[in-house]
Amino acid sequence: MDNIIEFDNLSASALIPGNIYKGGNKGNIGDDPFTSLLGVGNSGGMRPKVNQDGKLAYIVLISNSSNQHEYPDEFDSSNNLLTYYGDQRKPGKHFAETKHKGNINIKKLFELSYNGDSIELFPCFYFEKIEGKGRNYKYIGLAYPFVKNKTFEEVCHILNIQSKTGSINNYKFLFTVDSKTIVTREWLNSLVKNQTDIKKSAPASWINFIKDRSIELFSDKDSNALYNNYIEEKSEVYSTGNTKREANSRIGQSLVRKAVLNKYDKCQLCGINYRELLNISHIIPWNESDTEEIVKQFGENTRGDIDNILLLCANHDRLFDRKLISFDDTGGILISNKIN
């Protein structure tokens, strides 16, 4: 089920457990994927995102196996429990003296959760770095600051870690991870905008947790059903749509592009096979696909229907988009008289 999300597509991507989100390839800190993906900084393991009202919208938790000797983070998929260590790295410092205030923020989150306060609760999204070169990360899931049948003291406690340079005063947290639920771009945007009606975009699992701290962990069978409902691969038809950002962003576009590239692998007119120069072109235009007439005649998912999509090089895509070339019912090319 794993998919790789390319660096250029991060800003419009949903968070799907198991997906790998690729970093850039320029060889500098700008290759970090999280600024584009989630709007957070490019350093640290606990990265906060503030909403438009100055409050925490969410926190990104990142685990890196290269730090295991001092921060032995561990996700146990057999019971969905994540052991995660705080962001204090300097010996002799108080646990609260960190750049991103990760220990303070997460400790407060657990306090809110165990005290029954739902208004100020915010989600955490857990990622693990892929071993090897590059800044590529795998999304594991939504991390809940709560573990059933465990007390606050058992899931959130301070400790001293012995390092080569001294004793590190840090926190150890225990989360329950939902590694099945898909986090949509719509919900991420609403968290940043601090929209109060979370039912419009939040996943049902988060709504249930906010309501009564219930955490429903799906089976693999249920997970597959959720995934297919989101991406819906049926008869080469992919689920797509628009989500409102500052501009419209096309959901599912990267998956559709991948499917079309796998099917044709070259421009259907000139045969060029350099993928960076290939575009997917909708026969029924994207912005017309949800009109009543089109839906009635062709159905609701022409945007993701592979038979409604051509693979063209940049030049032919532009000609087709400007209606300077077209095709007849047999697939023969029609050329506008505006072109000599």
Side-chain angles (χ1 to χ4, degrees):
M1 186 183 294
D2 293 4
N3 282 286
I4 297 176
I5 309 301
E6 299 295 335
F7 187 74
D8 290 341
N9 297 329
L10 295 178
S11 62
S13 298
L15 302 184
I16 301 179
N19 272 13
I20 295 172
Y21 297 83
K22 290 190 68 174
N25 56 13
K26 294 183 178 180
N28 55 45
I29 199 168
D31 291 342
D32 186 276
F34 292 105
T35 300
S36 294
L37 180 63
L38 289 163
V40 297
N42 52 22
S43 65
M46 305 167 83
R47 306 186 191 181
K49 176 64 178 179
V50 176
N51 65 30
Q52 63 183 14
D53 295 328
K55 298 180 180 180
L56 283 171
Y58 50 78
I59 287 181
V60 180
L61 302 175
I62 303 167
S63 182
N64 188 337
S65 60
S66 65
N67 298 326
Q68 281 290 306
H69 59 291
E70 293 179 358
Y71 304 92
D73 302 332
E74 180 184 11
F75 172 58
D76 187 344
S77 59
S78 67
N79 57 19
N80 296 96
L81 294 183
L82 167 65
T83 301
Y84 193 85
Y85 289 79
D87 62 344
Q88 182 54 269
R89 294 170 175 252
K90 298 179 180 179
K93 294 286 187 178
H94 189 267
F95 71 82
E97 297 179 78
T98 62
K99 180 179 179 180
H100 297 302
K101 307 299 180 185
N103 279 326
I104 293 177
N105 290 331
I106 297 298
K107 178 176 179 288
K108 179 183 178 181
L109 181 62
F110 273 90
E111 289 173 345
L112 293 171
S113 177
Y114 274 81
N115 289 337
D117 188 337
S118 298
I119 298 177
E120 299 293 330
L121 283 178
F122 53 84
C124 295
F125 306 117
Y126 176 58
F127 291 80
E128 291 180 350
K129 189 177 187 302
I130 302 298
E131 293 186 11
K133 294 182 179 179
R135 296 173 181 263
N136 305 323
Y137 295 83
K138 185 173 185 177
Y139 177 58
I140 306 301
L142 182 57
Y144 293 99
F146 186 85
V147 178
K148 187 177 181 180
N149 299 325
K150 287 192 177 293
T151 66
F152 172 80
E153 289 74 19
E154 291 176 301
V155 300
C156 178
H157 63 273
I158 197 166
L159 73 167
N160 290 304
I161 302 173
Q162 295 302 318
S163 71
K164 295 179 180 180
T165 55
S167 179
I168 300 175
N169 186 230
N170 207 3
Y171 257 94
K172 179 180 178 181
F173 303 103
L174 191 62
F175 295 85
T176 301
V177 175
D178 175 359
S179 58
K180 309 300 180 184
T181 293
I182 292 169
V183 174
T184 65
R185 181 57 54 175
E186 181 183 7
W187 186 38
L188 293 172
N189 290 339
S190 71
L191 289 169
V192 175
K193 293 177 182 178
N194 198 24
Q195 295 175 347
T196 56
D197 188 1
I198 63 169
K199 292 184 179 180
K200 290 183 177 180
S201 57
S205 56
W206 178 257
I207 294 173
N208 291 335
F209 175 72
I210 290 290
K211 181 180 179 182
D212 56 14
R213 300 300 180 270
S214 63
I215 303 176
E216 182 178 4
L217 300 175
F218 299 104
S219 65
D220 288 339
K221 180 179 180 180
D222 293 330
S223 173
N224 289 335
L226 283 172
Y227 186 83
N228 289 334
N229 284 339
Y230 186 78
I231 301 183
E232 197 172 348
E233 297 185 47
K234 295 180 182 177
S235 304
E236 293 190 310
V237 175
Y238 289 71
S239 177
T240 59
N242 283 336
T243 178
K244 189 169 184 182
R245 300 167 64 222
E246 292 183 1
N248 279 336
S249 174
R250 297 179 175 184
I251 297 174
Q253 184 83 326
S254 62
L255 294 167
V256 173
R257 175 178 169 81
K258 181 179 179 181
V260 175
L261 282 168
N262 288 339
K263 184 173 183 178
Y264 299 114
D265 198 43
K266 61 184 179 181
C267 175
Q268 291 175 261
L269 284 182
C270 67
I272 188 171
N273 61 0
Y274 191 66
R275 289 196 168 199
E276 283 74 6
L277 297 180
L278 297 176
N279 297 326
I280 61 172
S281 300
H282 290 77
I283 298 170
I284 298 174
W286 181 284
N287 60 4
E288 297 177 12
S289 297
D290 56 0
T291 61
E292 183 177 352
E293 180 182 354
I294 294 297
V295 171
K296 185 176 181 179
Q297 185 174 358
F298 299 102
E300 297 181 350
N301 204 27
T302 56
R303 287 170 172 165
D305 187 346
I306 302 301
D307 292 331
N308 180 51
I309 297 172
L310 301 170
L311 185 63
L312 302 174
C313 69
N315 286 337
H316 286 124
D317 174 54
R318 179 63 66 87
L319 289 168
F320 183 69
D321 187 56
R322 299 291 178 87
K323 297 181 171 57
L324 295 174
I325 61 172
S326 189
F327 303 89
D328 60 26
D329 292 338
T330 66
I333 187 169
L334 302 173
I335 302 176
S336 169
N337 56 17
K338 295 180 181 179
I339 300 177
N340 295 327

